[in-house]
Amino acid sequence: MTFMPVLNDDPFERYFYRRAELANKMADQGFEVDAYTLATASLDALAEIWLHDFPDVKQDLQRELGGGIPSSIRLARLLKKFVPNDSDVKKVAVVCFAEDWKRYRPQDTHMADQLLSKRLSNDPDPFLRAYESPKSYLDISRDKLAQECPELTTRPELLALAEEYEYGALLYSFYRCPLVHLATGSRRTHGFAREEEIMYYHGKERIAIGFGLNLVTRWLRNVVSGYVQFCQQSGIVPAKNIDAGTNQEERLAKRWNKLT
């Protein structure tokens, strides 16, 4: 199913379009941390609303994932569901994945290095080699990653882990969470990506990844348009009867019920 990002008179859609517009304006005025916070938190909110409005989808994901649904995976699935024609939303940040593969499973270094070798500079000059950014244009989907590294097909748990390194999942893990909870970015990210750019950069300890804000706000607009269209086709009003404080009400009720 194809979702066309056409803005209509739906107030839910307008609300998130205004958030995207505000994020872009904040970035233009130099408030980039606030801009990324608003944009990524808005995408995450849409992911939460999606599973609220479609509990059967939530149940399917819980069965597939064996219980809880990581918020990072939820955001990755949201993008793949509602902007399916955007090839970037299916891509794995292969350099980040391969670096962590080496870090946490050094016995697999030879396989991780096979992925890294074609994406890192092979310039004979060590200075130039150290400062040439890794090739983000060689990031690929998990299906193609399994073709490039056939060992992954025999290790389904490792291939499943690679979904945590899809762009949508990293937006949650390296942008949304650090920005919302600590008001600063992760050291696994950098601020050099512009417009709709996705790029790697050599950090002090590990290679960092950056997403241009315009890419994030584009995804926000396209997702909400696709979501509203999907809801209309399903006969559902988006976010109807949501009480944003339900979880905290339940937490307080448990505290009260513990009193003797």
Side-chain angles (χ1 to χ4, degrees):
M1 183 180 296
T2 301
F3 303 103
M4 300 300 294
V6 178
L7 182 62
N8 56 36
D9 292 330
D10 184 89
F12 181 86
E13 187 174 6
R14 287 201 308 273
Y15 173 77
F16 283 95
Y17 262 69
R18 286 196 296 266
R19 286 192 150 206
E21 181 181 5
L22 178 58
N24 286 130
K25 287 181 178 178
M26 288 193 295
D28 290 341
Q29 295 171 7
F31 300 103
E32 290 195 351
V33 169
D34 305 276
Y36 278 101
T37 303
L38 177 60
T40 57
S42 297
L43 267 175
D44 183 46
L46 282 171
E48 176 73 24
I49 291 168
W50 172 39
L51 297 192
H52 170 273
D53 289 345
F54 294 90
D56 55 328
V57 174
K58 182 176 182 178
Q59 291 173 1
D60 289 344
L61 282 176
Q62 287 172 331
R63 282 193 291 268
E64 175 192 343
L65 300 172
I69 305 170
S71 297
S72 53
I73 299 300
R74 183 182 67 187
L75 184 51
R77 297 293 180 94
L78 176 85
L79 288 171
K80 288 183 284 189
K81 171 69 175 177
F82 295 107
V83 282
N85 294 326
D86 188 326
S87 60
D88 282 339
V89 303
K90 298 178 182 179
K91 288 182 179 178
V92 174
V94 180
V95 172
C96 295
F97 172 70
E99 275 206 328
D100 280 3
W101 193 0
K102 288 179 61 172
R103 181 185 184 94
Y104 295 110
R105 293 191 60 83
Q107 64 269 37
D108 293 340
T109 291
H110 64 290
M111 288 185 282
D113 278 340
Q114 289 176 5
L115 295 175
L116 289 170
S117 61
K118 64 186 294 184
R119 293 170 171 86
L120 302 182
S121 174
N122 59 0
D123 194 295
D125 186 317
F127 178 83
L128 295 177
R129 186 168 61 249
Y131 283 92
E132 182 180 336
S133 295
K135 303 173 179 68
S136 60
Y137 66 85
L138 292 180
D139 283 343
I140 50 180
S141 68
R142 279 196 300 158
D143 288 341
K144 291 184 178 179
L145 183 64
Q147 293 174 14
E148 182 178 337
C149 182
E151 291 86 353
L152 290 172
T153 62
T154 64
R155 303 168 71 176
E157 74 288 349
L158 189 56
L159 188 58
L161 180 59
E163 190 173 16
E164 289 281 6
Y165 293 83
E166 289 181 352
Y167 290 164
L170 292 187
L171 270 182
Y172 183 88
S173 299
F174 292 165
Y175 278 85
R176 185 270 181 197
C177 274
L179 291 170
V180 169
H181 295 300
L182 296 171
T184 187
S186 164
R187 61 185 176 183
R188 299 288 298 273
T189 64
H190 62 81
F192 301 110
R194 293 292 178 262
E195 301 297 329
E196 297 188 0
E197 186 177 31
I198 300 169
M199 66 173 289
Y200 293 111
Y201 188 80
H202 288 282
K204 292 182 179 180
E205 299 177 2
R206 299 157 85 179
I207 293 171
I209 190 169
F211 298 90
L213 179 70
N214 288 357
L215 176 70
V216 184
T217 54
R218 187 191 84 200
W219 282 344
L220 177 57
R221 292 184 183 95
N222 290 351
V223 166
V224 72
S225 290
Y227 184 67
V228 167
Q229 183 178 343
F230 184 73
C231 286
Q232 291 170 346
Q233 293 169 350
S234 304
I236 289 175
V237 178
K240 185 178 181 180
N241 298 324
I242 281 184
D243 180 354
T246 297
N247 290 339
Q248 295 306 311
E249 287 283 354
E250 291 175 352
R251 182 184 65 83
L252 287 172
K254 290 178 180 178
R255 292 290 303 273
W256 279 105
N257 290 331
K258 287 181 179 179
L259 295 179
T260 57

